[in-house]
Amino acid sequence: MRTLALTIPLVVAALGAVSAPSQPTPLTIRSAEPVVTYGEVVHISGLLGGRPEGTQVTLYLRRHGESTFSPVSVVVTDERGAWSFAFEPTMRSSIEARLGGLTSPTLTVRVRPRLTLKRRGEGLFARAVAARSFRGRHVWFQRRSSRGVWRSVARVVLDDPPRRFQAGLPRGVSRVRVSLPRGQAGPGYEPAVSRSLLLRR
C-alpha cells in the first residue's frame, strides 16, 4: 500500500506536465478588412498582455517589393492592453507590432485597384486606379445572364485618360460590369470588379 501511494502522485504529475496548455501570444494584431480597395482606410488593432496602461508599441510596415520592415507609428495601450491604428495602404502590405523582444504575428493587408465603369451618352468608359498606372492592361466587359452568371462580352484595353468603348448587347435591359483578372492586376494587387450598371438597348 505504501508503494501504491507513492506511485499515484507521480502519474498525476506526469499527466499534468503533458496536458499543460501552451502560453498565448502576449502581443496580437488583427484587421477587420484583410482585402481593401485602393483609397480605403484599414483599421488595425491588437492586444498586449501583462503590461501597464500607456505602454508604447511600435508598428512596422513592409510594402510589396520591399525587403525590410520600417517603423511607421507608435501606439499606446489602454487599460485593457488594447491598441489601434488606421492607415491607407497603397499596395499589398505586411505589418508587425513590436515591443522589446516581443513581436506579433505578421499581418498582411491585400489591396485591389479601384475599378470603375461609367456611361457617358452612348459610350462606356473603364478605369483602374492604384499607386501605379494600368495603361495597356485589359479588363473584361461582362454581362450577367438570366441565371445570374457573369459572362465576358468584350476585352477592353485600359488607357489614361480612359478611352470610350462600345459592346454589343441584346435588346432589353442588361446588367454589366468590368472585371480586372489577376494576371492584369500585376504584382502587389488583387483582382477587382467594378460596380454594375443597368443598360437599356
Side-chain angles (χ1 to χ4, degrees), residues 148-160:
V149 179
W150 289 99
R151 301 188 183 280
S152 296
V153 176
R155 181 176 177 271
V156 179
V157 178
L158 297 172
D159 204 349
D160 190 15

Side-chain angles (χ1 to χ4, degrees), residues 84-161:
S84 62
F85 173 65
F87 80 110
E88 186 179 306
T90 57
M91 61 181 60
R92 184 165 66 244
S93 302
S94 298
I95 309 169
E96 291 180 352
R98 301 179 187 177
L99 172 64
L102 297 178
T103 300
S104 73
T106 301
L107 173 70
T108 298
V109 177
R110 295 174 291 161
V111 179
R112 52 182 168 245
R114 183 172 295 278
L115 189 61
T116 59
L117 174 65
K118 294 183 179 181
R119 179 181 182 179
R120 297 174 190 165
E122 296 300 317
L124 294 168
F125 297 83
R127 188 179 186 186
V129 178
R132 66 169 178 78
S133 173
F134 289 88
R135 186 174 187 178
R137 296 179 182 266
H138 72 263
V139 295
W140 290 104
F141 178 69
Q142 298 178 325
R143 176 180 178 270
R144 194 172 72 176
S145 71
S146 58
R147 295 184 178 182
V149 179
W150 289 99
R151 301 188 183 280
S152 296
V153 176
R155 181 176 177 271
V156 179
V157 178
L158 297 172
D159 204 349
D160 190 15

Side-chain angles (χ1 to χ4, degrees), residues 29-49:
I29 187 170
R30 64 179 297 274
S31 171
E33 308 98 359
V35 183
V36 297
T37 299
Y38 180 80
E40 293 180 345
V41 173
V42 177
H43 297 276
I44 308 296
S45 61
L47 288 172
L48 172 65

Side-chain angles (χ1 to χ4, degrees), residues 148-199:
V149 179
W150 289 99
R151 301 188 183 280
S152 296
V153 176
R155 181 176 177 271
V156 179
V157 178
L158 297 172
D159 204 349
D160 190 15
R163 291 184 291 181
R164 178 178 180 271
F165 73 92
Q166 289 181 313
L169 294 171
R171 291 194 177 276
V173 177
S174 296
R175 183 171 291 278
V176 297
R177 71 180 188 183
V178 286
S179 173
L180 179 70
R182 181 173 296 277
Q184 296 299 306
Y189 292 101
E190 299 295 308
V193 294
S194 71
R195 292 183 178 180
S196 62
L197 293 178
L198 281 178
L199 300 181

